[in-house]
Every structure is written in structure tokens, then in C-alpha cells.
Amino acid sequence: MKRLAIVLAAGQGKRMKSKLYKVLHPVCGKPMVGHVTDIVKEAACERTVVIVGHGAEAVQAYLGDGAEYVLQAQQLGTGHAVRQAEQLLGQEEGTTIVVCGDTPLVTAETIEAMLELHASSGAAATVLTASFDNPTGYGRVIRGADGAVQRIVEQKDCSPEEAAVKEINTGTYCFDNQKLFAALAQVTSNNAQGEFYLTDVVGIFREAGEVVQGYCTSDLAEAIGVNDRVALAEAERLMRERLNRHHLLGGVTIIDPASTYIEAGVEIGSDTVLYPGTILRAGTKIGEDCVIGPQADIAGSSIGNGVTVKYSTVADSVIGDESAVGPYANLRPGSKLGRGCKIGDFVELKNATLDDGSKVSHLSYIGDAEVGKEVNIGCGAITVNYDGYNKFKTVVGDHAFVGSNVNLIAPITVGEGAYIVAGSTVTHDVPAGDLSIARERQVNKPGYAEKIRNRAKAKKENSRKE
Ligand code: UD1
Ligand code: CA
């Protein structure tokens, strides 16, 4: 049986009170609609149609070519939204999964189980349901004496008895494709919200003598529909727990899962230890046997094996095996460390490559630089890469030694094995193997300290008399 999918993503999400369209709000670093389309992909649907409206361009730009799109120019309800897909899917025969773009925690396994019940029972529709102690805000699932689903009633249309029902509609369904579009043609907007409800097709099917099943998930997280920021925070927490659990089971030690934030899609090797306050953002890959944190914020970066990163931020960078970063380092985009490098406290790197075994241990800024192997950059040494208009490059050869408080005025090349003495402001290239000194020669004036103190004292007394 052909599988098709429709993702509803046209709503504005007024209750979010946001400039960002609802389905683009991230949950653990990934927009909600991205979670949903990824799940649908896992369910191996041959075609996925996303209904877009508010923020259509932004949603399309984010999802890209992975789906087909239909514009729902006016948001007249979920039934109206699904109907927009008729021009694309109306001729298809098969099973159509419908998922809302604001239910990021639904899983592919549950959709699979729902599809199984759907197929085995010959139902026209199967609804994914859950049982909530507090069902407020959700559509209620009304079952008949035989246990089959009779109707779904929206909160605003509920009688007191219906409102007391705890089983809710999660907003995920599967349908016989042909029957779905036939029933949608009969849906009216005669209800409390004046909308065309997708949920009304259930009643329409029942009247036509069709079977409607309800598949009840025991994982309540799957049922969360994010309509406001309270639910967004709840979804974030539940997704975080789920992701942490995935990494724990994969062999990662997380000292305190409650204070460790791992976004969707992050990969971590086994026997890596994460200390509290660690934030691993989207696009990050971490190897085995690393020690990350406390307080490490790593985004879009690739980290090798046996690496230590503590009290530091790392963005769009690469760190080679056995390197150590921090405490208090800032690796800005384009930093690349080889094997066994050391970046110490209050060091900032930007667009800088360090080859194997190089060290920048304290209080440095290295930007737009290419540093060779086994180079030592002393405390407080910096690259002077910017004249207010242009950026210039610094090249430091293998085994060079850059003394403390050296200014490397770029563009500049320091040759292999060169040695720059502390406090130098170097404006010209240093050939390989040379010693470079660029500072005033020291002068000591014997006993002069006393003289200078007396002069200062006299000056102070004079100014008091005046
Ligand atoms: C819907 C269900 C409700 C269910 C709940 C689960 C209906 C009538 N109600 O209610 O039974 O318990 O989800 O979370 O279906 N959308 C469009 N176009 C529209 C309207 C909505 O694309 O014209 C999209 C929204 O962007 C959203 C999704 O459909 O992603 C659900 O819409 P929403 O308004 O959040 O429905 P609920 O009131 O939550
Ligand atoms: Ca919703």
C-alpha cells in the first residue's frame, strides 16, 4: 500500500505571541516542523505534502526540496488545510498520514504501530490518541459502546460530559486517501470556531458505516501539541530527556542529565563524559573518551577523541584528538586544532589553524592565522589582523617560538623555528631560524629611583600650597 503524508504547517500560532511562525520554533535546536517531517521520512512515505500559509517562504526555505508544498492562503481550519492537498494527492490510492507541524514529539515507531492497526482493521481512519489527566485544550475522542471511535469534539464544542473525557486527539491520523478527500468535501464550518475541522471526518465516516479506530499511545510526550510557550518549554524538556536517554544508552556518561542540553542530531562517542552546564548544539559531533564541561557551549563543531573542553565556547570549529581547550577559551568560527594542541585560559581564536602539538596557553588573540606544528605562543601574544577596514593573515612556521606579549602585525610570516623575544612588536617577516627582537633596549639609571620619588613629592606639596 502506497504511503503518503500531509503535514499541517500553515497556522500563525497566535498564542505563541511571536514574530517567528509557530512551526519554526525550535525544540532542542530543530524547528518543530523539521522534527515532524523527519519522522514522516522515517515512516517511508512516498510523497510528503506540507501545507504552508503563515511564513510559507520561511517554512519552505527551511525544509527545502524534501517535500511538496501547497499554499493555504487563508487558514480556515485543519480540514480546509488538508483539503488543499487534493490537487496534488487526490488521484492517489493508498494510506495518508496526517501530522500537525506543532507535535514534535510523535515518533516513527508509534506511527508504524498506528498504521498496523489501521491496515489490520480495515479502518477508513485511525486516530492517534492519548489519555491526559488534564485534557484541556485538546479535542476529545468519543468512543461508542463497542470501543470504536464515534466522533472527535473540540474543547470549545464540548458538552460537560464530553469535556470530562480524558482521551484526546493528538492530531496525528492515518486515512484511506480516497475516502479522506471524499469526506472532506462534506465538512462544514458549523461550530464554535467557525472553522472547517479535520476531526469532523470521523463523524462523517461513522455515518457512512465506515470503521474508525483509535490507537492510544502510552507515551504522553507524543501527544503534546505546542500552542503556547508553556507547552514549548514542556516539549523542550521532554525532548531533552529523550535525547539524553539516547546518548546514555549509547555509552555516554552524563553526570547530571537535568543540566545537560544536547540538541537534536548531535553525535557523541562512547565513554565521553559530559559535566553539568554542557550545551551541545546542532551540527556537533564529539568523539570517544572526551571530557566536556563543566560549562561548555559547543555549536556546529567536530571534536576528535580524547579531547577536553571546559568552561569554554566553541563555534563552527574543529578540534583534533587529544587536544585540550579551556578553561575560559573562546573558539570562534573557523578555528581548527590539530592533534594534541592546547588552548588555555582567556584565549580567543578566530579563523585560525593550529597544527599538531601547538600551544596557546594564556591570554592571547589569534585571528586569521595559520600556525604550524609544535609552535609555542606565549602569554599575551596576539595577532594584529585588522586595520579598521581590512583583515590580514599571519603565518607561523613549525617549531617557532613566539614570546610573551608579542604583537604580530599582519600580514606577516614567521619562518620555521624562528624565535621572537617577549614584548616585540613585529612588523616584518622573520626568516626561518632567526631570532627577532623588536623593542627598546633597556636602560638602568643607578640610584635614580630615589630622585624621581623626591621630585614627585615636591610637586604634590607645591600643588597643596597653591
Ligand atoms: C487540533 C485538533 C484537536 C487536537 C489538537 C492536537 C482540529 C480541529 N483540532 O487542535 O482535536 O486535540 O490539534 O494538538 O483539528 N493549521 C493549518 N491550517 C489551518 C489551521 C491549522 O495548517 O487552517 C495547522 C497549524 O499550523 C497546526 C495544526 O494545523 O500545525 C493544528 O492546528 P491548531 O490550530 O494548533 O489546532 P488545535 O487547536 O491545537
Ligand atoms: Ca495545536
Short mmCIF file of all heavy atoms in Angstrom, two decimals, residues 26-94:
data_model
loop_
_atom_site.label_atom_id
_atom_site.label_comp_id
_atom_site.label_asym_id
_atom_site.label_seq_id
_atom_site.Cartn_x
_atom_site.Cartn_y
_atom_site.Cartn_z
N PRO A 26 12.10 26.32 17.47
CA PRO A 26 12.89 25.11 17.69
C PRO A 26 12.57 24.39 18.99
O PRO A 26 12.27 25.03 20.00
CB PRO A 26 14.34 25.63 17.70
CG PRO A 26 14.25 27.08 18.03
CD PRO A 26 12.88 27.57 17.66
N VAL A 27 12.66 23.09 18.93
CA VAL A 27 12.62 22.24 20.11
C VAL A 27 13.93 21.46 20.09
O VAL A 27 14.23 20.76 19.12
CB VAL A 27 11.40 21.30 20.09
CG1 VAL A 27 11.51 20.22 21.17
CG2 VAL A 27 10.12 22.10 20.27
N CYS A 28 14.76 21.65 21.12
CA CYS A 28 16.12 21.08 21.14
C CYS A 28 16.85 21.39 19.84
O CYS A 28 17.44 20.51 19.20
CB CYS A 28 16.08 19.59 21.44
SG CYS A 28 15.63 19.27 23.16
N GLY A 29 16.79 22.66 19.43
CA GLY A 29 17.60 23.14 18.33
C GLY A 29 17.07 22.86 16.94
O GLY A 29 17.68 23.29 15.95
N LYS A 30 15.95 22.15 16.83
CA LYS A 30 15.42 21.86 15.50
C LYS A 30 13.97 22.36 15.42
O LYS A 30 13.17 22.06 16.30
CB LYS A 30 15.45 20.34 15.26
CG LYS A 30 15.13 20.00 13.83
CD LYS A 30 14.94 18.57 13.43
CE LYS A 30 15.52 17.40 14.02
NZ LYS A 30 15.23 16.14 13.37
N PRO A 31 13.63 23.15 14.38
CA PRO A 31 12.26 23.63 14.25
C PRO A 31 11.25 22.47 14.35
O PRO A 31 11.51 21.38 13.85
CB PRO A 31 12.23 24.26 12.87
CG PRO A 31 13.63 24.72 12.64
CD PRO A 31 14.49 23.66 13.29
N MET A 32 10.13 22.75 14.99
CA MET A 32 9.12 21.70 15.21
C MET A 32 8.75 21.00 13.92
O MET A 32 8.64 19.78 13.87
CB MET A 32 7.88 22.31 15.85
CG MET A 32 8.11 22.78 17.26
SD MET A 32 6.57 23.00 18.14
CE MET A 32 6.10 24.63 17.63
N VAL A 33 8.58 21.80 12.85
CA VAL A 33 8.15 21.19 11.58
C VAL A 33 9.24 20.27 11.03
O VAL A 33 8.95 19.28 10.35
CB VAL A 33 7.72 22.28 10.56
CG1 VAL A 33 8.90 23.08 10.03
CG2 VAL A 33 6.91 21.68 9.41
N GLY A 34 10.49 20.55 11.38
CA GLY A 34 11.59 19.68 10.97
C GLY A 34 11.53 18.34 11.67
O GLY A 34 11.77 17.29 11.07
N HIS A 35 11.19 18.36 12.96
CA HIS A 35 11.01 17.10 13.69
C HIS A 35 9.94 16.26 12.99
O HIS A 35 10.11 15.07 12.76
CB HIS A 35 10.56 17.37 15.13
CG HIS A 35 11.67 17.84 16.04
ND1 HIS A 35 12.63 16.98 16.52
CD2 HIS A 35 11.96 19.05 16.55
CE1 HIS A 35 13.47 17.66 17.30
NE2 HIS A 35 13.09 18.93 17.33
N VAL A 36 8.83 16.94 12.68
CA VAL A 36 7.68 16.21 12.11
C VAL A 36 8.02 15.64 10.73
O VAL A 36 7.74 14.46 10.45
CB VAL A 36 6.44 17.14 12.06
CG1 VAL A 36 5.31 16.48 11.29
CG2 VAL A 36 6.00 17.48 13.48
N THR A 37 8.63 16.43 9.87
CA THR A 37 8.93 15.91 8.53
C THR A 37 9.99 14.79 8.60
O THR A 37 9.95 13.85 7.81
CB THR A 37 9.39 17.02 7.56
OG1 THR A 37 10.45 17.76 8.16
CG2 THR A 37 8.26 17.96 7.19
N ASP A 38 10.92 14.88 9.55
CA ASP A 38 11.90 13.79 9.70
C ASP A 38 11.23 12.49 10.13
O ASP A 38 11.60 11.41 9.66
CB ASP A 38 12.98 14.18 10.73
CG ASP A 38 13.97 15.19 10.16
OD1 ASP A 38 13.89 15.48 8.95
OD2 ASP A 38 14.80 15.69 10.93
N ILE A 39 10.24 12.61 11.00
CA ILE A 39 9.52 11.42 11.46
C ILE A 39 8.76 10.79 10.29
O ILE A 39 8.77 9.58 10.09
CB ILE A 39 8.53 11.80 12.60
CG1 ILE A 39 9.32 12.18 13.85
CG2 ILE A 39 7.58 10.65 12.90
CD1 ILE A 39 8.59 13.14 14.74
N VAL A 40 8.13 11.65 9.50
CA VAL A 40 7.38 11.17 8.34
C VAL A 40 8.34 10.48 7.35
O VAL A 40 8.00 9.44 6.77
CB VAL A 40 6.65 12.37 7.69
CG1 VAL A 40 6.21 12.05 6.29
CG2 VAL A 40 5.46 12.78 8.55
N LYS A 41 9.53 11.03 7.21
CA LYS A 41 10.53 10.41 6.33
C LYS A 41 10.86 9.00 6.82
O LYS A 41 10.98 8.07 6.03
CB LYS A 41 11.82 11.26 6.33
CG LYS A 41 12.10 11.92 4.98
CD LYS A 41 13.36 12.78 5.08
CE LYS A 41 13.01 14.26 4.88
NZ LYS A 41 13.99 15.17 5.46
N GLU A 42 11.01 8.88 8.15
CA GLU A 42 11.33 7.57 8.73
C GLU A 42 10.23 6.56 8.42
O GLU A 42 10.49 5.37 8.29
CB GLU A 42 11.44 7.68 10.26
CG GLU A 42 12.83 7.99 10.76
CD GLU A 42 12.88 7.91 12.28
OE1 GLU A 42 12.75 6.80 12.84
OE2 GLU A 42 13.01 8.98 12.91
N ALA A 43 9.00 7.03 8.33
CA ALA A 43 7.88 6.14 8.02
C ALA A 43 7.82 5.81 6.53
O ALA A 43 6.86 5.18 6.08
CB ALA A 43 6.57 6.77 8.50
N ALA A 44 8.83 6.21 5.79
CA ALA A 44 8.97 5.85 4.37
C ALA A 44 7.75 6.22 3.52
O ALA A 44 7.22 5.39 2.78
CB ALA A 44 9.30 4.36 4.24
N CYS A 45 7.31 7.46 3.63
CA CYS A 45 6.20 7.91 2.79
C CYS A 45 6.74 8.27 1.41
O CYS A 45 7.81 8.86 1.29
CB CYS A 45 5.54 9.14 3.42
SG CYS A 45 4.74 8.74 4.97
N GLU A 46 5.99 7.88 0.38
CA GLU A 46 6.47 8.14 -0.98
C GLU A 46 6.35 9.62 -1.35
O GLU A 46 7.16 10.14 -2.12
CB GLU A 46 5.70 7.29 -1.98
CG GLU A 46 6.23 5.85 -1.97
CD GLU A 46 5.39 4.92 -2.81
OE1 GLU A 46 5.22 5.19 -4.02
OE2 GLU A 46 4.88 3.94 -2.23
N ARG A 47 5.31 10.25 -0.84
CA ARG A 47 5.16 11.69 -1.10
C ARG A 47 4.80 12.38 0.20
O ARG A 47 3.99 11.88 0.98
CB ARG A 47 4.07 11.94 -2.14
CG ARG A 47 4.41 11.39 -3.51
CD ARG A 47 3.28 11.62 -4.49
NE ARG A 47 3.12 13.03 -4.84
CZ ARG A 47 2.15 13.48 -5.64
NH1 ARG A 47 1.25 12.64 -6.15
NH2 ARG A 47 2.07 14.77 -5.93
N THR A 48 5.38 13.53 0.44
CA THR A 48 5.05 14.34 1.62
C THR A 48 4.63 15.72 1.14
O THR A 48 5.38 16.38 0.43
CB THR A 48 6.26 14.47 2.56
OG1 THR A 48 6.63 13.16 3.00
CG2 THR A 48 5.96 15.34 3.76
N VAL A 49 3.42 16.11 1.51
CA VAL A 49 2.92 17.43 1.14
C VAL A 49 2.82 18.27 2.41
O VAL A 49 2.20 17.85 3.39
CB VAL A 49 1.55 17.33 0.45
CG1 VAL A 49 0.99 18.72 0.17
CG2 VAL A 49 1.67 16.52 -0.84
N VAL A 50 3.47 19.42 2.39
CA VAL A 50 3.41 20.33 3.55
C VAL A 50 2.46 21.47 3.19
O VAL A 50 2.62 22.12 2.15
CB VAL A 50 4.81 20.87 3.91
CG1 VAL A 50 4.73 21.79 5.13
CG2 VAL A 50 5.78 19.73 4.17
N ILE A 51 1.47 21.68 4.06
CA ILE A 51 0.53 22.78 3.85
C ILE A 51 1.14 24.02 4.51
O ILE A 51 1.35 24.04 5.73
CB ILE A 51 -0.85 22.49 4.49
CG1 ILE A 51 -1.33 21.07 4.14
CG2 ILE A 51 -1.86 23.56 4.10
CD1 ILE A 51 -1.56 20.81 2.68
N VAL A 52 1.41 25.03 3.70
CA VAL A 52 2.04 26.24 4.24
C VAL A 52 1.11 27.44 4.07
O VAL A 52 0.24 27.44 3.20
CB VAL A 52 3.40 26.53 3.55
CG1 VAL A 52 4.43 25.50 3.94
CG2 VAL A 52 3.27 26.59 2.04
N GLY A 53 1.28 28.42 4.92
CA GLY A 53 0.44 29.63 4.87
C GLY A 53 1.21 30.76 5.50
O GLY A 53 2.05 31.39 4.86
N HIS A 54 1.00 30.97 6.81
CA HIS A 54 1.81 31.96 7.52
C HIS A 54 3.27 31.55 7.42
O HIS A 54 3.62 30.42 7.70
CB HIS A 54 1.38 32.04 8.99
CG HIS A 54 0.11 32.81 9.17
ND1 HIS A 54 0.09 34.18 9.13
CD2 HIS A 54 -1.16 32.41 9.34
CE1 HIS A 54 -1.15 34.59 9.30
NE2 HIS A 54 -1.92 33.54 9.43
N GLY A 55 4.10 32.49 6.99
CA GLY A 55 5.53 32.20 6.91
C GLY A 55 5.87 31.14 5.89
O GLY A 55 6.87 30.44 6.01
N ALA A 56 5.03 31.04 4.84
CA ALA A 56 5.23 29.98 3.84
C ALA A 56 6.66 29.97 3.30
O ALA A 56 7.28 28.90 3.20
CB ALA A 56 4.23 30.15 2.69
N GLU A 57 7.17 31.13 2.97
CA GLU A 57 8.50 31.20 2.37
C GLU A 57 9.57 30.69 3.34
O GLU A 57 10.46 29.95 2.96
CB GLU A 57 8.84 32.63 1.95
CG GLU A 57 8.24 32.97 0.60
CD GLU A 57 8.51 34.41 0.22
OE1 GLU A 57 9.51 34.98 0.68
OE2 GLU A 57 7.67 34.95 -0.53
N ALA A 58 9.43 31.11 4.58
CA ALA A 58 10.42 30.71 5.59
C ALA A 58 10.36 29.21 5.84
O ALA A 58 11.39 28.54 5.97
CB ALA A 58 10.18 31.48 6.89
N VAL A 59 9.15 28.67 5.90
CA VAL A 59 8.99 27.22 6.15
C VAL A 59 9.58 26.44 4.97
O VAL A 59 10.33 25.48 5.15
CB VAL A 59 7.51 26.86 6.37
CG1 VAL A 59 7.32 25.35 6.44
CG2 VAL A 59 6.99 27.52 7.64
N GLN A 60 9.26 26.90 3.76
CA GLN A 60 9.76 26.23 2.55
C GLN A 60 11.28 26.33 2.46
O GLN A 60 11.95 25.37 2.10
CB GLN A 60 9.13 26.87 1.31
CG GLN A 60 8.23 25.91 0.58
CD GLN A 60 7.43 26.61 -0.50
OE1 GLN A 60 6.51 27.35 -0.16
NE2 GLN A 60 7.77 26.39 -1.76
N ALA A 61 11.80 27.50 2.80
CA ALA A 61 13.25 27.70 2.74
C ALA A 61 13.93 26.75 3.72
O ALA A 61 14.97 26.18 3.42
CB ALA A 61 13.61 29.15 3.07
N TYR A 62 13.31 26.57 4.88
CA TYR A 62 13.91 25.68 5.88
C TYR A 62 13.84 24.21 5.44
O TYR A 62 14.82 23.48 5.53
CB TYR A 62 13.26 25.87 7.25
CG TYR A 62 13.64 24.76 8.19
CD1 TYR A 62 14.95 24.65 8.66
CD2 TYR A 62 12.73 23.77 8.56
CE1 TYR A 62 15.33 23.60 9.47
CE2 TYR A 62 13.11 22.72 9.37
CZ TYR A 62 14.41 22.64 9.83
OH TYR A 62 14.79 21.59 10.61
N LEU A 63 12.67 23.79 4.94
CA LEU A 63 12.51 22.35 4.62
C LEU A 63 13.13 21.97 3.29
O LEU A 63 13.51 20.82 3.09
CB LEU A 63 11.02 21.97 4.64
CG LEU A 63 10.35 21.97 6.02
CD1 LEU A 63 8.85 21.70 5.86
CD2 LEU A 63 10.97 20.93 6.94
N GLY A 64 13.20 22.92 2.36
CA GLY A 64 13.87 22.65 1.09
C GLY A 64 13.14 21.65 0.19
O GLY A 64 11.92 21.54 0.23
N ASP A 65 13.92 20.91 -0.59
CA ASP A 65 13.34 20.05 -1.64
C ASP A 65 12.75 18.74 -1.14
O ASP A 65 12.18 17.99 -1.94
CB ASP A 65 14.43 19.70 -2.68
CG ASP A 65 14.97 20.94 -3.36
OD1 ASP A 65 14.24 21.95 -3.37
OD2 ASP A 65 16.11 20.89 -3.85
N GLY A 66 12.89 18.47 0.14
CA GLY A 66 12.43 17.18 0.66
C GLY A 66 10.93 16.96 0.61
O GLY A 66 10.47 15.85 0.86
N ALA A 67 10.15 18.00 0.31
CA ALA A 67 8.70 17.86 0.34
C ALA A 67 8.07 18.63 -0.81
O ALA A 67 8.74 19.39 -1.51
CB ALA A 67 8.18 18.40 1.67
N GLU A 68 6.76 18.38 -1.02
CA GLU A 68 5.99 19.21 -1.94
C GLU A 68 5.20 20.20 -1.08
O GLU A 68 4.93 19.92 0.08
CB GLU A 68 5.01 18.34 -2.74
CG GLU A 68 5.71 17.27 -3.56
CD GLU A 68 4.71 16.28 -4.17
OE1 GLU A 68 3.94 16.67 -5.05
OE2 GLU A 68 4.71 15.13 -3.73
N TYR A 69 4.84 21.31 -1.66
CA TYR A 69 4.18 22.35 -0.87
C TYR A 69 2.87 22.80 -1.52
O TYR A 69 2.78 22.87 -2.74
CB TYR A 69 5.09 23.57 -0.72
CG TYR A 69 6.39 23.23 -0.04
CD1 TYR A 69 7.51 22.86 -0.78
CD2 TYR A 69 6.49 23.22 1.35
CE1 TYR A 69 8.70 22.51 -0.17
CE2 TYR A 69 7.67 22.88 1.98
CZ TYR A 69 8.78 22.53 1.22
OH TYR A 69 9.94 22.17 1.83
N VAL A 70 1.88 23.08 -0.66
CA VAL A 70 0.65 23.71 -1.13
C VAL A 70 0.39 24.90 -0.23
O VAL A 70 0.54 24.81 1.00
CB VAL A 70 -0.58 22.78 -1.02
CG1 VAL A 70 -1.78 23.41 -1.70
CG2 VAL A 70 -0.30 21.43 -1.60
N LEU A 71 -0.02 25.99 -0.84
CA LEU A 71 -0.31 27.19 -0.07
C LEU A 71 -1.77 27.20 0.37
O LEU A 71 -2.68 27.03 -0.44
CB LEU A 71 -0.03 28.44 -0.92
CG LEU A 71 -0.21 29.75 -0.17
CD1 LEU A 71 0.92 29.98 0.83
CD2 LEU A 71 -0.28 30.92 -1.15
N GLN A 72 -1.97 27.35 1.66
CA GLN A 72 -3.32 27.59 2.18
C GLN A 72 -3.38 29.09 2.50
O GLN A 72 -2.90 29.53 3.53
CB GLN A 72 -3.56 26.76 3.45
CG GLN A 72 -4.98 26.88 3.98
CD GLN A 72 -5.12 26.36 5.41
OE1 GLN A 72 -4.14 26.25 6.16
NE2 GLN A 72 -6.34 26.05 5.81
N ALA A 73 -3.94 29.85 1.56
CA ALA A 73 -3.83 31.30 1.65
C ALA A 73 -4.55 31.84 2.89
O ALA A 73 -4.08 32.76 3.55
CB ALA A 73 -4.37 31.95 0.39
N GLN A 74 -5.71 31.25 3.18
CA GLN A 74 -6.45 31.66 4.37
C GLN A 74 -6.60 30.46 5.28
O GLN A 74 -6.94 29.37 4.81
CB GLN A 74 -7.87 32.08 3.95
CG GLN A 74 -8.05 33.57 3.77
CD GLN A 74 -9.52 33.85 3.51
OE1 GLN A 74 -10.10 33.32 2.56
NE2 GLN A 74 -10.12 34.66 4.35
N GLN A 75 -6.34 30.64 6.57
CA GLN A 75 -6.37 29.50 7.48
C GLN A 75 -7.77 29.30 8.02
O GLN A 75 -8.16 29.87 9.02
CB GLN A 75 -5.36 29.69 8.60
CG GLN A 75 -3.91 29.49 8.15
CD GLN A 75 -3.41 30.56 7.21
OE1 GLN A 75 -3.55 31.74 7.49
NE2 GLN A 75 -2.86 30.17 6.07
N LEU A 76 -8.53 28.46 7.31
CA LEU A 76 -9.94 28.26 7.67
C LEU A 76 -10.15 26.99 8.49
O LEU A 76 -11.27 26.55 8.66
CB LEU A 76 -10.80 28.23 6.40
CG LEU A 76 -10.67 29.48 5.51
CD1 LEU A 76 -11.54 29.34 4.26
CD2 LEU A 76 -11.06 30.75 6.28
N GLY A 77 -9.08 26.40 8.96
CA GLY A 77 -9.20 25.22 9.81
C GLY A 77 -8.40 24.04 9.28
O GLY A 77 -7.95 24.03 8.14
N THR A 78 -8.25 23.02 10.15
CA THR A 78 -7.39 21.88 9.78
C THR A 78 -7.98 21.06 8.62
O THR A 78 -7.24 20.52 7.80
CB THR A 78 -7.16 20.97 11.01
OG1 THR A 78 -8.42 20.70 11.63
CG2 THR A 78 -6.24 21.61 12.02
N GLY A 79 -9.33 20.99 8.58
CA GLY A 79 -9.97 20.26 7.47
C GLY A 79 -9.73 20.97 6.15
O GLY A 79 -9.39 20.35 5.12
N HIS A 80 -9.90 22.27 6.17
CA HIS A 80 -9.63 23.11 4.99
C HIS A 80 -8.17 22.97 4.57
O HIS A 80 -7.85 22.88 3.38
CB HIS A 80 -9.97 24.56 5.34
CG HIS A 80 -9.75 25.53 4.22
ND1 HIS A 80 -8.62 26.33 4.17
CD2 HIS A 80 -10.49 25.83 3.13
CE1 HIS A 80 -8.68 27.09 3.08
NE2 HIS A 80 -9.82 26.79 2.43
N ALA A 81 -7.27 22.90 5.56
CA ALA A 81 -5.84 22.77 5.27
C ALA A 81 -5.55 21.47 4.52
O ALA A 81 -4.90 21.48 3.47
CB ALA A 81 -5.03 22.82 6.58
N VAL A 82 -6.08 20.36 5.03
CA VAL A 82 -5.82 19.07 4.38
C VAL A 82 -6.42 19.06 2.97
O VAL A 82 -5.83 18.52 2.03
CB VAL A 82 -6.39 17.90 5.23
CG1 VAL A 82 -6.28 16.58 4.48
CG2 VAL A 82 -5.64 17.81 6.56
N ARG A 83 -7.56 19.70 2.81
CA ARG A 83 -8.23 19.72 1.51
C ARG A 83 -7.37 20.37 0.42
O ARG A 83 -7.50 20.07 -0.76
CB ARG A 83 -9.55 20.49 1.65
CG ARG A 83 -10.64 19.77 0.89
CD ARG A 83 -11.97 20.43 0.98
NE ARG A 83 -12.72 20.04 -0.23
CZ ARG A 83 -13.86 20.55 -0.59
NH1 ARG A 83 -14.43 21.48 0.16
NH2 ARG A 83 -14.45 20.15 -1.69
N GLN A 84 -6.48 21.27 0.86
CA GLN A 84 -5.60 21.95 -0.11
C GLN A 84 -4.67 20.95 -0.83
O GLN A 84 -4.15 21.24 -1.89
CB GLN A 84 -4.73 23.02 0.56
CG GLN A 84 -5.49 24.05 1.39
CD GLN A 84 -6.62 24.70 0.61
OE1 GLN A 84 -6.41 25.28 -0.44
NE2 GLN A 84 -7.83 24.57 1.14
N ALA A 85 -4.48 19.79 -0.21
CA ALA A 85 -3.57 18.79 -0.81
C ALA A 85 -4.27 17.97 -1.89
O ALA A 85 -3.63 17.16 -2.57
CB ALA A 85 -3.02 17.86 0.27
N GLU A 86 -5.58 18.20 -2.07
CA GLU A 86 -6.35 17.35 -3.01
C GLU A 86 -5.81 17.46 -4.43
O GLU A 86 -5.69 16.46 -5.14
CB GLU A 86 -7.83 17.73 -2.97
CG GLU A 86 -8.69 16.75 -3.75
CD GLU A 86 -10.18 16.87 -3.46
OE1 GLU A 86 -10.58 17.81 -2.71
OE2 GLU A 86 -10.94 16.05 -3.99
N GLN A 87 -5.46 18.69 -4.84
CA GLN A 87 -4.94 18.87 -6.21
C GLN A 87 -3.69 18.02 -6.45
O GLN A 87 -3.45 17.57 -7.56
CB GLN A 87 -4.64 20.35 -6.45
CG GLN A 87 -4.06 21.03 -5.23
CD GLN A 87 -3.66 22.47 -5.42
OE1 GLN A 87 -2.92 22.78 -6.34
NE2 GLN A 87 -4.15 23.34 -4.55
N LEU A 88 -2.89 17.80 -5.41
CA LEU A 88 -1.66 17.00 -5.57
C LEU A 88 -1.89 15.51 -5.33
O LEU A 88 -1.33 14.67 -6.03
CB LEU A 88 -0.57 17.49 -4.59
CG LEU A 88 0.11 18.81 -4.93
CD1 LEU A 88 1.10 19.17 -3.83
CD2 LEU A 88 0.85 18.71 -6.27
N LEU A 89 -2.71 15.19 -4.32
CA LEU A 89 -2.80 13.78 -3.89
C LEU A 89 -4.14 13.13 -4.22
O LEU A 89 -4.30 11.92 -4.01
CB LEU A 89 -2.57 13.69 -2.37
CG LEU A 89 -1.22 14.18 -1.84
CD1 LEU A 89 -1.15 13.99 -0.32
CD2 LEU A 89 -0.06 13.46 -2.52
N GLY A 90 -5.12 13.92 -4.71
CA GLY A 90 -6.47 13.43 -4.90
C GLY A 90 -6.58 12.15 -5.73
O GLY A 90 -7.48 11.33 -5.50
N GLN A 91 -5.68 11.97 -6.67
CA GLN A 91 -5.76 10.80 -7.56
C GLN A 91 -5.08 9.57 -6.97
O GLN A 91 -5.23 8.46 -7.49
CB GLN A 91 -5.08 11.11 -8.91
CG GLN A 91 -5.67 12.30 -9.65
CD GLN A 91 -7.18 12.17 -9.85
OE1 GLN A 91 -7.67 11.13 -10.29
NE2 GLN A 91 -7.92 13.21 -9.48
N GLU A 92 -4.31 9.76 -5.91
CA GLU A 92 -3.51 8.65 -5.35
C GLU A 92 -4.39 7.63 -4.63
O GLU A 92 -5.40 7.97 -4.02
CB GLU A 92 -2.48 9.19 -4.35
CG GLU A 92 -1.45 10.13 -4.94
CD GLU A 92 -0.29 9.39 -5.61
OE1 GLU A 92 -0.37 8.15 -5.75
OE2 GLU A 92 0.68 10.08 -5.99
N GLU A 93 -3.96 6.37 -4.69
CA GLU A 93 -4.60 5.33 -3.88
C GLU A 93 -3.59 4.94 -2.81
O GLU A 93 -2.42 4.69 -3.13
CB GLU A 93 -4.90 4.09 -4.73
CG GLU A 93 -5.72 4.37 -5.97
CD GLU A 93 -7.11 3.76 -5.88
OE1 GLU A 93 -7.28 2.86 -5.02
OE2 GLU A 93 -7.98 4.17 -6.64
N GLY A 94 -4.02 4.87 -1.58
CA GLY A 94 -3.08 4.46 -0.53
C GLY A 94 -3.49 4.99 0.83
O GLY A 94 -4.64 5.37 1.04
#
